[in-house]
Amino acid sequence: MVDEAVAKMLFDQALELVIVSDAKGKVTYMNKMAQENLGYEAECPDVLLSEIFPSDIVLEDKKLKIDFPLDKTHQFMMYRQNRTCFKTEVKLSEIEEGRFLCMALDISEKNYLEKKVSQSDQEAEEALQVKTQFVANVTHELRTPVNGILGNTKELLSKERDSEKLATLRLIERGCNDMHTIINNILDFSKLDSGKFVLETAPFNFREMMDYIRATHINKITEKGLQLQINISPEIPEEIIGDELRLQQILNNFLSNATKFTYTGKIAVEVLKTAQIGNRIELFFMVIDTGIGIAKEDQDKLFQSFTQVEASTTRKYGGTGLGLSITKQLVELMNGSVHLESEKGKGSMFSFHIWVEIPMDENVPMDDTLRSFDVTVPHLDSTGETELMLTYGTKENREELKKKLSKLILCVDMDNWEKAEVFMESIRQLTQEAPREIKSAALRLKMAVQKADADKTSDAFDKMNKLLKSEE
Ligand code: ADP
């Protein structure tokens, strides 16, 4: 047990105001904090507890009348000797028959701070709203003149024959289109920033959307002497339910960046169905380029707003550094995430997954959950021989697989990536019915080949070979 002297010493160190009183309310002890705060100069001043808490503690028949729960915290006004008062959090306990301990904490500052914080929260919310509204107004005002210039330029372009003037008009047209993209990005960013962004989901034809994506980018890509490859897994149904425009926006951003930052080689888009829960499916997209790549130390900051790898990027390639930040937020709104694999000078792979719905009548078992990595469309003829070759695990299949793998690695050694891809396609078909880890290994190998990355290809090749050997 702590004796009274020790207790007093401890109370004198306390930040709380400690007062002990008898059953008649007469204060018998007051710690230093209480004396300082209440304006008394003695440890046992001549005062009653009911004078310190006149609104909450009263005397009846010269005895304390307690009509609130003991040992619980209450908010009472506490009065100083000079009758000024302040708000406190108070706990009263009966430490022994007829002896009360009162512990009080001055909360006037805490209350003030709480009020201040809630006031600042409100002010911040109001400022955010003003900002969002301002951005909406400004972007709207900007869009009108840009549309006007674009319309007139298009008209002049259709009439003009002089090649020099045509070139200037095309530059103006391009400038207007860039302005449109920037205006839209700023508007989206502001909506996402203030949490006011809502996805609009509706049924749409997935392959038609992908055709549109191809049509949008093919000219720019071929103009740069690059190739565009788009592979869509046959497992993905025709009709899906999601926000088509926003999905296009995500893909457009990745593809525009891939085009912007690639000078030789190609750009590939791969879309797989990687999971299904009832009528919801997970779509996995990969946008792979053989461009300038991004150094490891720059990769994390890319998805932050207004960030570009180097300041010189803006001068050289334009852009605001908002694209990836918006894209990431849009993907997250679709319950997915974005990933980046890249190496400086060797190209990049931006991948993301999203969840979409498929119409209920697509004959889907509601409680069925499946994960798969089926990505192949069989192109080989169905002669008896090819059938045996395609049936995973047959002697023919194994031999063919070995042959194609060694040819693939030969092509890689000779830096003939185009040929390597042809063998890769056969490997995919030969492993169509293989167990999941073999199929995943084949997919990794394919991705490495598509990126024309010799190190990754050789790694993936070794892993695949090891798996195949362990099966024998
Ligand atoms: P912006 O709107 O300026 O294009 P983004 O957010 O889309 O901004 O991209 C930010 C930066 O990320 C780009 O300026 C570039 O430095 C880098 N980046 C994005 N995609 C690629 C890519 N495929 N290859 C190399 N760098 C890229």
Side-chain angles (χ1 to χ4, degrees):
M1 270 303 269
V2 180
D3 69 27
E4 204 138 311
V6 176
K8 269 188 190 169
M9 204 182 76
L10 289 175
F11 284 150
D12 278 340
Q13 304 292 323
L15 294 173
E16 284 168 308
L17 286 70
V18 182
I19 301 170
V20 179
S21 91
D22 64 16
K24 292 181 182 156
K26 164 96 186 72
V27 171
T28 55
Y29 168 76
M30 204 180 252
N31 77 344
K32 285 223 169 76
M33 200 57 147
Q35 292 172 44
E36 270 168 32
N37 275 271
L38 300 176
Y40 296 102
E41 275 168 7
E43 209 178 80
C44 181
D46 185 17
V47 62
L48 294 171
L49 206 56
S50 52
E51 289 172 301
I52 296 174
F53 298 104
S55 323
D56 302 289
I57 301 180
V58 287
L59 293 182
E60 200 176 72
D61 298 333
K62 295 192 176 165
K63 278 181 81 181
L64 281 182
K65 182 180 168 236
I66 312 284
D67 52 7
F68 52 84
L70 290 174
D71 304 314
K72 293 251 152 50
T73 309
H74 306 277
Q75 290 203 354
F76 291 166
M77 289 307 281
M78 201 168 189
Y79 281 71
R80 299 185 184 93
Q81 194 184 24
N82 64 10
R83 304 327 287 157
T84 58
C85 59
F86 54 97
K87 208 173 201 172
T88 54
E89 249 169 23
V90 179
K91 197 153 95 178
L92 196 67
S93 316
E94 193 165 15
I95 38 175
E96 59 189 53
E97 178 94 49
R99 207 158 173 229
F100 293 91
L101 172 73
C102 167
M103 314 256 275
L105 197 64
D106 182 351
I107 56 165
S108 43
E109 195 173 344
K110 185 177 149 206
N111 271 11
Y112 169 77
L113 288 177
E114 271 172 8
K115 267 197 202 128
K116 261 272 183 246
V117 168
S118 99
Q119 198 182 336
S120 323
D121 280 355
Q122 205 180 331
E123 278 168 12
E125 170 68 16
E126 277 166 17
L128 194 64
Q129 279 195 1
V130 170
K131 194 177 90 184
T132 313
Q133 195 54 47
F134 172 76
V135 173
N137 291 344
V138 169
T139 45
H140 178 76
E141 292 303 323
L142 279 174
R143 212 188 293 259
T144 319
V146 173
N147 278 343
I149 302 171
L150 192 61
N152 284 314
T153 312
K154 278 195 173 19
E155 206 177 314
L156 288 174
L157 267 169
S158 66
K159 290 181 193 150
E160 189 57 61
R161 294 286 162 263
D162 181 85
S163 64
E164 225 170 273
K165 283 187 187 153
L166 271 173
T168 313
L169 286 170
R170 282 205 189 96
L171 268 181
I172 299 175
E173 186 189 34
R174 214 173 120 185
C176 286
N177 286 332
D178 287 351
M179 284 272 275
H180 251 162
T181 313
I182 294 170
I183 291 170
N184 288 341
N185 274 351
I186 294 175
L187 195 58
D188 282 350
F189 177 75
S190 149
K191 277 199 219 151
L192 284 162
D193 200 34
S194 61
K196 290 205 166 57
F197 199 94
V198 200
L199 290 177
E200 283 172 28
T201 51
F204 65 93
N205 186 303
F206 184 71
R207 282 179 181 73
E208 273 173 20
M209 183 204 79
M210 291 304 292
D211 284 346
Y212 183 65
I213 294 279
R214 175 195 290 275
T216 311
H217 294 271
I218 192 74
N219 284 347
K220 259 199 185 153
I221 291 178
T222 45
E223 260 169 33
K224 282 188 90 174
L226 305 168
Q227 281 177 23
L228 172 65
Q229 245 180 31
I230 299 186
N231 286 328
I232 303 168
S233 160
E235 275 191 304
I236 299 173
E238 283 292 306
E239 191 170 276
I240 63 172
I241 302 165
D243 192 329
E244 182 182 9
L245 279 181
R246 295 306 178 178
L247 181 54
Q248 276 180 32
Q249 185 178 346
I250 296 168
L251 284 166
N252 282 339
N253 187 45
F254 285 135
L255 272 166
S256 301
N257 278 345
T259 314
K260 216 194 256 186
F261 298 108
T262 305
Y263 297 100
T264 52
K266 65 172 181 219
I267 293 161
V269 180
E270 190 87 42
V271 195
L272 315 174
K273 182 181 115 182
T274 39
Q276 175 160 357
I277 302 173
N279 69 328
R280 300 179 71 234
I281 59 171
E282 186 189 60
L283 295 180
F284 195 94
F285 296 78
M286 290 174 257
V287 180
I288 306 159
D289 67 55
T290 51
I292 61 171
I294 303 156
K296 284 270 169 299
E297 61 270 22
D298 293 323
Q299 292 182 12
D300 285 343
K301 58 181 189 211
L302 276 193
F303 294 95
Q304 294 162 13
S305 325
F306 305 106
T307 308
Q308 294 175 320
V309 168
E310 289 166 44
S312 62
T313 310
T314 323
R315 264 177 278 126
K316 196 163 163 198
Y317 303 98
T320 50
L322 278 180
L324 286 178
S325 150
I326 293 172
T327 304
K328 179 172 177 270
Q329 294 187 65
L330 287 178
V331 167
E332 281 165 5
L333 279 178
M334 296 180 188
N335 301 313
S337 55
V338 182
H339 322 272
L340 166 64
E341 271 181 44
S342 185
E343 225 174 291
K344 206 169 169 62
K346 291 203 169 167
S348 313
M349 180 177 83
F350 283 89
S351 61
F352 65 95
H353 75 269
I354 54 166
W355 283 89
V356 292
E357 282 182 25
I358 49 172
M360 289 297 275
D361 57 353
E362 289 275 343
N363 212 0
V364 178
M366 281 308 288
D367 54 354
D368 184 16
T369 306
L370 66 105
R371 279 211 164 250
S372 78
F373 286 97
D374 249 349
V375 290
T376 50
V377 200
H379 293 304
L380 300 183
D381 293 333
S382 286
T383 59
E385 202 188 336
T386 39
E387 244 170 54
L388 268 177
M389 250 160 42
L390 283 177
T391 314
Y392 185 78
T394 60
K395 195 166 137 260
E396 288 79 358
N397 174 281
R398 275 178 202 278
E399 273 168 15
E400 197 58 27
L401 198 51
K402 264 189 207 154
K403 234 191 259 168
K404 293 289 190 290
L405 275 166
S406 59
K407 285 198 174 146
L408 173 113
I409 212 69
L410 204 69
C411 292
V412 173
D413 286 343
M414 290 161 65
D415 223 16
N416 188 342
W417 292 98
E418 252 171 54
K419 256 277 172 52
E421 274 199 41
V422 177
F423 290 117
M424 189 60 234
E425 183 53 32
S426 308
I427 293 165
R428 280 210 318 170
Q429 292 183 25
L430 290 162
T431 49
Q432 237 186 146
E433 294 168 5
R436 186 180 301 170
E437 62 267 26
I438 304 263
K439 281 206 288 188
S440 305
L443 180 63
R444 270 193 291 276
L445 183 59
K446 181 177 189 290
M447 275 162 22
V449 170
Q450 270 180 334
K451 282 166 66 183
D453 185 325
D455 293 343
K456 281 212 173 109
T457 305
S458 139
D459 268 5
F461 174 83
D462 288 345
K463 276 189 196 126
M464 175 120 185
N465 252 346
K466 235 184 235 159
L467 279 170
L468 289 172
K469 282 239 163 64
S470 70
E471 276 211 330
E472 274 172 9

